Amino acid sequence: MIVAGVDFGTLSVRVTLMDCTTGATLGGAVAGYPLKRSAADPLLGGQSHDDQMAALTRAMREAVANAGIDGTAVAALACDTTGSSVVMVDENLEPLADYYMWCDHRAHHEAAEITALGRAEGLEALDWCGGTYSHEWGYAKVLHFLRHNPGLRNRFATALEHCDMVAAVLCGIRDLSQLPRSICAAGHKWMWGAAWGGLPPQDFLSRVDPLFDGINDKLSGRFLTSDQLAGHLCAEWADKLGLRAGIPIPVGAFDAHWDAIGAGAHPGDITNVVGTSTCIIAMGPQGFPPVPGLCGVVPGSVLPDWTGIEAGQSATGDVFEAIAKRASRAVGDLCAEVAHLPPGGSGLMRLNWDNGDRTVLVRSDLGAVTLGWDLNHSAADEMHAAIEGMAMHVRIITERIEQGGMTTARIVNAGGIPQKNDLLNQIYADVLGREVHVPAHSPTGTGSCIFAAVAAGAFDSFDAAQAVLCPPARVFSPRGGYDDLFALFRDLYFGLGQGQALDLGAVLPRLRAYRLGGAAARA
């Protein structure tokens, strides 16, 4: 049996075709689309629905051709996407404007208003998304749209996450009450929870702004986990994609959640999906409580019967690329230059808030800080400090997850960057003090194939599908040496980011001592 997995990223869509019997990847293809930015509005991040679907068509047909198969042999199709990437549509599901992509930060005022009222009123739903409603999430983006597009308010029928929009379009669903609504998306980004009856109370939202009147009625649909079907591929899109009409399409989800499954993650593991940004995914037991600062604790958001836990970093690969670009060097070259340095050997401490802090501070108003500079520092030194800073931030997040009572097992580094940056993997292992497992080849798209395979009946469980379809892993063992540096990082992280007391006068001398130790290693 052959299945198709679709992964919509920030700049491109990837289609992967896998054989469920052998676990072999038969073929794949990638097609790009532009991310709309604006020098006049640096918070904007938009994308065209038509561009996305045209790219899907190109990538699917190319993948089928590369695999040398007949498209009608594909037995199921599953799609994951970025999130919270939100599109406003009319009653015919026609977009009223571009997507507010996950990286669109224009709704920060709206998010702050939702957070302030939610805290004042003790809104239970807010507790489950870490106590702070993010500017990256759905309700904030809807309110920003309604405030800034008064001429379109009367045509606004509903808002959809990208994973739900693409599933509805491919299945030919036009009845708004039958729209598939991913619990992964709704729980982590829209404060949906079965425990309080679904979406947060309408009267609360209306008190945030009367423009929200009736919004929950407009967000109706079928709220389902991804072991359920969104529907079946309609004839129109079967013809466009070169596939067979009627094949099952499961309810979609966010890319990082399915990437974790594609990387072989199991309950108890913590998976760092490291790319442009980092999304951190864990699966805890039923009954795992809300934890302040985490992006969401949502039963069923990754796998049914387990509680999905999400955290992340707003910029990771973007930070590395920015450092390399400023130096007109390649990331790999800079890493090779400092691969021999001991912990803190650059003498620099970098807090990677270049795009704000997603977890655990949830502050979009922070900027990056690099401390300890002297006249001889290089871009390679900054790169080493940036990787250490990422790893130490992940340790803060990991410790916060564990505060919820979860006993963590493995650390898995998934996403595109760990495949090509062994220095990053080794530093993560050293900082976290535990083994880091890295898929031997990129699992992007594998998670989608796993959900497609289960939907098609090729496997009777997700564990069984993972055993056949997931790539093997390389293991990086910890060497230690980071506890003292991490203590300094933690003081700076909460001192500069949250106002906790710290001894600023001791910071630079401590970094200078690390710098001298690094100089000895260079010699």
Side-chain angles (χ1 to χ4, degrees):
M1 183 182 292
I2 299 171
V3 294
V6 176
D7 174 84
F8 279 95
T10 305
L11 299 175
S12 64
V13 59
R14 177 185 298 273
V15 173
T16 304
L17 300 173
M18 298 190 75
D19 186 322
C20 296
T21 302
T22 65
T25 298
L26 303 178
V30 178
Y33 34 69
L35 175 66
K36 299 179 182 180
R37 292 290 199 179
S38 170
D41 187 357
L43 302 182
L44 182 146
Q47 205 155 77
S48 161
H49 167 73
D50 289 343
D51 287 349
Q52 293 170 343
M53 298 307 289
L56 172 61
T57 301
R58 296 194 306 273
M60 182 65 72
R61 287 191 169 274
E62 184 179 343
V64 168
N66 290 342
I69 64 170
D70 187 326
T72 60
V74 174
L77 166 66
C79 303
D80 67 52
T81 68
T82 61
S84 186
S85 293
V86 181
V87 64
M88 320 302 166
V89 300
D90 65 15
E91 61 183 5
N92 298 313
L93 247 64
E94 291 296 325
L96 298 174
D98 286 338
Y99 273 90
Y100 280 68
M101 293 298 289
W102 68 270
C103 51
D104 188 302
H105 292 173
R106 287 175 291 170
H108 56 97
H109 290 303
E110 289 74 14
E113 292 170 40
I114 293 170
T115 297
L117 187 62
R119 289 177 177 174
E121 298 190 356
L123 182 69
E124 180 182 7
L126 189 64
D127 293 339
W128 286 83
C129 59
T132 301
Y133 198 76
S134 172
H135 54 285
E136 295 184 4
W137 298 350
Y139 277 115
K141 290 177 174 177
V142 170
L143 185 54
H144 183 276
F145 173 83
L146 294 174
R147 286 176 171 175
H148 292 83
N149 296 276
L152 295 175
R153 290 174 192 164
N154 64 336
R155 294 178 55 200
F156 171 70
T158 190
L160 285 145
E161 285 285 346
H162 188 187
C163 61
D164 298 332
M165 178 68 168
V166 69
V169 169
L170 293 177
C171 295
I173 297 171
R174 290 293 182 267
D175 182 347
L176 301 188
S177 68
Q178 294 302 305
L179 289 173
R181 301 278 187 179
S182 165
I183 281 179
C184 176
H188 286 290
K189 312 300 183 185
W190 297 79
M191 297 189 285
W192 186 95
W196 52 88
L199 295 167
Q202 176 61 61
D203 59 346
F204 164 78
L205 295 167
S206 293
R207 286 195 297 278
V208 172
D209 192 310
L211 287 174
F212 267 150
D213 286 350
I215 185 61
N216 281 356
D217 288 339
K218 294 182 177 181
L219 296 175
S220 64
R222 298 173 292 131
F223 290 82
L224 301 167
T225 51
S226 291
D227 59 326
Q228 304 295 310
L229 293 186
H232 296 82
L233 184 63
C234 69
E236 176 189 357
W237 277 95
D239 182 63
K240 290 180 179 179
L241 299 176
L243 305 181
R244 173 167 50 90
I247 62 174
I249 298 177
V251 172
F254 291 150
D255 47 6
H257 296 69
W258 282 12
D259 281 349
I261 297 302
H266 298 288
D269 294 341
I270 293 180
T271 303
N272 305 307
V273 183
V274 188
T276 304
S277 64
T278 293
C279 194
I280 298 173
I281 302 296
M283 287 174 279
Q286 292 184 356
F288 186 90
V291 177
L294 299 185
C295 296
V297 176
V298 180
S301 69
V302 185
L303 289 178
D305 303 323
W306 292 91
T307 300
I309 304 161
E310 181 182 347
Q313 296 166 310
S314 293
T316 305
D318 273 355
V319 172
F320 304 150
E321 290 295 338
I323 293 169
K325 183 178 180 180
R326 288 194 292 268
S328 299
R329 301 275 302 278
V331 171
D333 290 344
L334 294 175
C335 289
E337 189 175 317
V338 290
H340 63 287
L341 286 183
S346 70
L348 298 177
M349 174 74 73
R350 196 178 200 283
L351 293 101
N352 298 299
W353 292 326
D354 302 67
N355 201 22
D357 183 278
R358 181 181 293 166
T359 308
V360 297
L361 303 177
V362 197
R363 290 189 59 178
S364 63
D365 58 343
L366 297 179
V369 178
T370 305
L371 296 169
W373 288 104
D374 64 40
L375 295 175
N376 294 312
H377 273 118
S378 67
D381 292 316
E382 186 183 7
M383 182 66 72
H384 191 267
I387 294 174
E388 288 182 323
M390 293 295 179
M392 289 188 284
H393 187 189
V394 168
R395 181 165 167 178
I396 284 175
I397 293 168
T398 298
E399 291 180 353
R400 183 61 62 94
I401 291 172
E402 291 171 341
Q403 287 174 18
M406 176 178 163
T407 300
T408 57
R410 304 181 306 158
I411 300 294
V412 179
N413 273 3
I417 288 178
Q419 306 298 322
K420 53 192 177 185
N421 195 325
D422 284 356
L423 178 63
L424 177 140
N425 297 319
Q426 187 60 61
I427 289 177
Y428 273 47
D430 295 341
V431 169
L432 294 166
R434 63 183 79 182
E435 291 183 345
V436 169
H437 294 246
V438 181
H441 57 81
S442 175
T444 301
T446 303
S448 296
C449 286
I450 288 171
F451 281 88
V454 172
F459 301 98
D460 60 6
S461 71
F462 291 100
D463 277 346
Q466 284 180 298
V468 174
L469 300 181
C470 288
R474 296 183 296 143
V475 179
F476 291 78
S477 298
R479 300 171 302 188
Y482 270 96
D483 287 347
D484 288 342
L485 190 67
F486 173 68
L488 176 59
F489 178 89
R490 182 174 51 203
D491 287 346
L492 285 165
Y493 179 87
F494 288 109
L496 296 177
Q498 204 171 59
Q500 291 187 8
L502 75 155
D503 182 2
L504 283 172
V507 172
L508 296 179
R510 289 177 67 183
L511 292 176
R512 179 55 56 90
Y514 279 108
R515 170 69 156 155
L516 295 176
R522 292 175 198 268

